[in-house]
Amino acid sequence: MHEPVYVSEMVEKAMNFDFRFFDLNTYGPWITRRDQLTIKFWARTGSQQEYKLVLELELENFHHPLPRNCVLLHLSDGIYTSFTDLPLDEPVLANLTGPGNAQSAQSTSTFDELMRLSNLDDCIQDALATREKVTSQINSILEKQKKDRELIQSAAQAQDSWTSSKRAVSTAQRQIRAAQTRRSELQTSLQARRNAIRSGTLSQEKSRSHLVSARINLADD
């Protein structure tokens, strides 16, 4: 490969710093299972404008090569192993599995099991992140539904108010029509009484006139 797989961040004005954690599992086994690794360090002084290559490290030239299938402990502050201080030229595994130690030899976890255990924390973190995301989405949906319910309730209340107003207007109109009918009836009755009074007055005047005439006739006789 000619292109770098990972390019770290740049740290200004520092001599000894820790790189941020990075994960190469996303590149697949074609990258993570290669037997060659080259690490290049670039640096510059305060007066320099461009970075210069100060160190190029090959994995095959590393003075503490790891034995095959060694256990790596990936902790929060770094990666640790307990095999780097052992002399590599001694048959450690052969001594441990010799005839005298045959009864004390015990089987350990396989490489696949160790890989599954190392990925367990990532799976848990992903599950927690997914749970938080789902919870946030559910809360958002519930909040939106709450606003929709409040809007529906407001519309229902407005509809009820409009229906009540319409019913009150209809009742008032019926009362007005009844009052107008009653007024017409009273006006008709009053006019009839006036006519009756007028007719009675005329009858009284005629009667009085006849009475006067009758008195005059009696006086003449």
Side-chain angles (χ1 to χ4, degrees), residues 105-121:
Q106 297 180 357
S107 61
T108 59
S109 301
T110 62
F111 179 76
D112 293 337
E113 292 175 349
L114 293 176
M115 290 300 297
R116 284 195 294 268
L117 289 176
S118 66
N119 293 331
L120 179 60
D121 183 67

Side-chain angles (χ1 to χ4, degrees), residues 197-214:
I197 293 173
R198 189 180 297 109
S199 178
T201 302
L202 293 176
S203 297
Q204 288 179 358
E205 290 178 354
K206 289 181 179 180
S207 298
R208 189 179 298 111
S209 135
H210 290 310
L211 181 58
V212 171
S213 298

Side-chain angles (χ1 to χ4, degrees), residues 152-168:
I152 293 174
Q153 291 177 358
S154 300
Q157 292 177 358
Q159 181 69 24
D160 294 338
S161 178
W162 180 80
T163 303
S164 300
S165 300
K166 184 178 180 181
R167 189 181 300 111

Side-chain angles (χ1 to χ4, degrees), residues 97-160:
T97 58
N101 298 327
Q103 295 180 355
S104 62
Q106 297 180 357
S107 61
T108 59
S109 301
T110 62
F111 179 76
D112 293 337
E113 292 175 349
L114 293 176
M115 290 300 297
R116 284 195 294 268
L117 289 176
S118 66
N119 293 331
L120 179 60
D121 183 67
D122 294 338
C123 294
I124 294 174
Q125 296 299 327
D126 291 341
L128 293 176
T130 303
R131 185 184 67 178
E132 294 295 332
K133 183 178 180 180
V134 172
T135 302
S136 177
Q137 292 177 353
I138 292 175
N139 292 334
S140 178
I141 293 174
L142 292 177
E143 185 67 23
K144 182 179 180 181
Q145 290 181 352
K146 180 179 179 182
K147 293 181 180 180
D148 294 339
R149 288 195 300 269
E150 292 177 353
L151 182 60
I152 293 174
Q153 291 177 358
S154 300
Q157 292 177 358
Q159 181 69 24
D160 294 338

